[in-house]
Amino acid sequence: MMKQELYLRLGELEEFARFLNRLKGEMEYHRLPLAELCERICEKERGILYQILLDTVRSVRESGSVAFYDVWKQSFGKYEAKLHLTGEEKTWMKDLFSYSHASLEAQLNEMEYYYEFTNKRISELRTEVQGKGKVYITFGVMSGIMLLILFS
């Protein structure tokens, strides 16, 4: 994977972690239905994740009785190709609201699990980005030395 792709993936994971943290806080404080909480969060944010959420919230409001999780999966599917995440991360993110019918405490526990897992992935990806950066620098220096030797 190219370094630019890694940075894009890292940015999407960081956006997801911020969203999870904010959603968990809103759930604890406001105790509103999931669609309302997501709408509140989307009002001030931009990015592909928030576009998926906004699409989900609008579809839930229009249909009235469709489960949030089912609409989330459909909305996620529309935007999935635009994401730079791995297949595993996409599948995992798509399952985010599978607990939406559970109690508030269970939802909060699930949010915490997702948040910790996302932060672990972010940490691993940062290490990978740093390692690739060193490889690219080394390759650049070696190429420069080779050109210097060839044209000397």
Side-chain angles (χ1 to χ4, degrees):
M1 192 177 279
M2 298 294 292
K3 191 172 181 183
Q4 181 181 5
E5 285 288 316
L6 291 175
Y7 277 118
L8 292 170
R9 182 174 153 218
L10 180 60
E12 289 171 358
L13 286 172
E14 288 172 339
E15 178 183 341
F16 188 59
R18 282 190 304 274
F19 163 73
L20 289 171
N21 193 35
R22 186 153 177 223
L23 183 60
K24 185 174 180 284
E26 293 278 337
M27 289 173 84
E28 289 174 330
Y29 184 73
H30 293 290
R31 299 182 182 265
L32 294 171
L34 196 54
E36 284 184 48
L37 290 172
C38 289
E39 189 172 38
R40 288 174 63 106
I41 291 171
C42 288
E43 288 174 355
K44 299 175 184 173
E45 301 290 342
R46 298 291 174 259
I48 191 163
L49 176 61
Y50 298 103
Q51 186 58 47
I52 297 169
L53 274 171
L54 211 49
D55 191 42
T56 302
V57 169
R58 287 178 183 149
S59 295
V60 166
R61 289 196 187 272
E62 288 172 7
S63 67
S65 62
V66 178
F68 192 90
Y69 173 58
D70 294 332
V71 179
W72 165 258
K73 285 193 312 186
Q74 288 176 343
S75 296
F76 193 90
K78 290 181 205 173
Y79 294 90
E80 193 169 356
K82 295 180 181 179
L83 294 168
H84 300 90
L85 303 171
T86 64
E88 178 187 9
E89 290 164 347
K90 288 177 184 178
T91 300
W92 173 76
M93 199 178 280
K94 193 184 292 187
D95 288 339
L96 172 63
F97 294 109
S98 61
Y99 62 88
S100 60
H101 62 283
S103 69
L104 179 63
E105 186 176 326
Q107 290 179 28
L108 290 170
N109 288 338
E110 194 70 14
M111 282 288 165
E112 186 62 32
Y113 168 76
Y114 270 88
Y115 183 71
E116 289 174 11
F117 183 79
T118 303
N119 281 329
K120 180 180 178 235
R121 286 288 234 209
I122 289 169
S123 178
E124 291 168 357
L125 192 55
R126 283 184 179 146
T127 302
E128 187 177 342
V129 166
Q130 288 174 346
K132 293 227 182 216
K134 290 177 184 174
V135 168
Y136 291 130
I137 289 170
T138 303
F139 180 72
V141 169
M142 294 301 292
S143 298
I145 292 171
M146 293 298 287
L147 286 173
L148 185 64
I149 292 170
L150 284 173
F151 293 111
S152 295

